[in-house]
Amino acid sequence: MAKILTITNQKGGVGKTTTCVNLSASLAATKRRVLMIDMDPQGNATMGSGVDKHTLELSVYDVLTGGCSAEEAIIAKTPAGYDLIGANADLTAAEVELLQLPRREFRLKMALQSCADKYDFILIDNPPSLNLLTVNALASSDGVIIPMQCEYYALEGISALIGTVEKINSRLNPSLKIEGILRTMFDPRMSLTKDVSEHLMEYFGDKVYRTVIPRNVRLAEAPSHGLPALMYDKNSRGAVAYLALAGELTRRQRKQQEEQELQDA
Ligand code: ATP
Ligand code: MG
């Protein structure tokens, strides 16, 4: 069964999409079978994977509203090396339409049941808001990855987000956990970066990934070529950092599995 991870933070521009695209590509490059799902009507993750959001025949909108199955909407082997269910502006309408549908919080979860065993990882990119789309992503997932910039207001938003994850955990999805906190656009020269970083470590302990994503222009340029940084410039600091993150994530997962097996024995 795939490990399903939601990349979320209701704050805009913190590196959610960059993380989703580059982590998916890094996991795919290490021979993991990866499905990425774009749950943002902006469609940035779709475009950044080399798929034109304007010409999608089927998208996550159709999956959520029952127009097609997940398998039918999957675009196999994108130029970025993973499979994709894309999104575009159609998805804006889904929020309203979902309100009328049965089990509206579980539409994505139900759709993924039939294809989850074909993948090692399913990564879900989210819009910078907390709405029924995000609730669908959280209700489907095993874990949440929270990318954040080490700046003053970042901490303020994060407690609201943690509250939401806890609420989803108690009401809709008891297996949901915070998988990790990822420091993005990291600039060690700034003293505030250090302060915020220390606060994060205090609060979240080893949930904070040791890997940090540096500010790197290649990460910002790559999407305009429809490629993850790993394919645009594989030696760039950004690409190397996301490969390291994929390594840390899979090591952690192996450790969790071993601990679980010990408990079960
Ligand atoms: P939104 O909330 O709008 O969905 P987001 O959280 O998905 O935004 P991104 O789109 O990934 O954020 O990043 C915001 C901008 O910052 C983009 O232009 C992206 O290319 C750039 N960016 C992201 N990470 C980095 C980085 N580590 N170094 C340099 N630029 C970055
Ligand atoms: Mg985004």
Side-chain angles (χ1 to χ4, degrees):
M1 268 304 249
K3 172 123 179 157
I4 307 183
L5 297 171
T6 282
I7 321 283
T8 190
N9 188 333
Q10 76 278 27
K11 196 164 159 45
V14 295
K16 292 182 288 296
T17 301
T18 305
T19 297
C20 201
V21 167
N22 289 287
L23 183 56
S24 295
S26 298
L27 288 166
T30 52
K31 301 280 181 284
R32 265 65 178 205
R33 298 163 302 164
V34 181
L35 172 65
M36 188 176 92
I37 303 175
D38 191 353
M39 282 287 268
D40 185 348
Q42 293 181 100
N44 293 344
T46 302
M47 298 294 279
S49 306
V51 173
D52 186 354
K53 65 179 176 182
H54 305 288
T55 59
L56 288 176
E57 272 174 36
L58 293 168
S59 71
V60 74
Y61 163 81
D62 302 283
V63 176
L64 290 169
T65 55
C68 72
S69 68
E71 280 93 341
E72 287 169 311
I74 289 173
I75 297 164
K77 290 274 166 267
T78 61
Y82 45 80
D83 293 357
L84 171 78
I85 300 182
N88 56 28
D90 291 350
L91 190 55
T92 316
E95 244 205 287
V96 183
E97 289 178 41
L98 281 174
L99 292 174
Q100 323 292 327
L101 294 172
R103 294 181 55 78
R104 59 190 178 199
E105 297 94 348
F106 298 105
R107 307 291 300 185
L108 184 65
K109 185 182 167 86
M110 292 189 296
L112 291 180
Q113 265 157 11
S114 59
C115 64
D117 59 347
K118 297 193 186 82
Y119 295 97
D120 299 310
F121 288 95
I122 300 180
L123 267 59
I124 310 175
D125 188 31
N126 281 277
S129 51
L130 261 170
N131 54 28
L132 200 44
L133 295 174
T134 325
V135 169
N136 262 273
L138 291 169
S140 317
S141 296
D142 303 303
V144 183
I145 295 179
I146 305 175
M148 55 182 295
Q149 276 180 268
C150 287
E151 56 183 29
Y152 181 65
Y153 291 111
L155 291 170
E156 213 167 77
I158 206 134
S159 48
L161 181 53
I162 303 303
T164 307
V165 172
E166 283 168 355
K167 232 180 269 166
I168 303 273
N169 179 285
S170 65
R171 293 184 195 163
L172 300 175
N173 178 6
S175 49
L176 184 68
K177 291 189 186 67
I178 298 201
E179 176 74 20
I181 312 286
L182 177 66
R183 292 165 289 170
T184 59
M185 299 181 233
F186 195 80
D187 184 350
R189 290 166 303 180
M190 281 168 62
S191 60
L192 185 60
T193 298
K194 210 165 148 266
D195 289 353
V196 175
S197 222
E198 279 168 7
H199 272 112
L200 283 177
M201 296 283 196
E202 258 167 48
Y203 193 69
F204 292 105
D206 56 12
K207 291 268 183 211
V208 182
Y209 289 112
R210 294 295 176 266
T211 309
V212 296
I213 308 301
R215 193 172 277 286
N216 176 248
V217 69
R218 291 292 192 248
L219 286 171
E221 288 167 358
S224 65
H225 300 270
L227 290 172
L230 194 58
M231 274 139 183
Y232 175 62
D233 181 354
K234 70 175 184 346
N235 296 318
S236 62
R237 288 171 63 229
V240 171
Y242 276 108
L243 270 177
L245 177 65
E248 185 174 358
L249 189 139
T250 48
R251 276 195 305 278
R252 270 194 194 187
Q253 196 193 9
R254 240 187 335 242
K255 208 169 145 209
Q256 282 165 11
Q257 273 166 355
E258 284 166 9
E259 283 167 3
Q260 190 63 47
E261 280 163 20
L262 273 178
Q263 267 179 24
D264 294 345

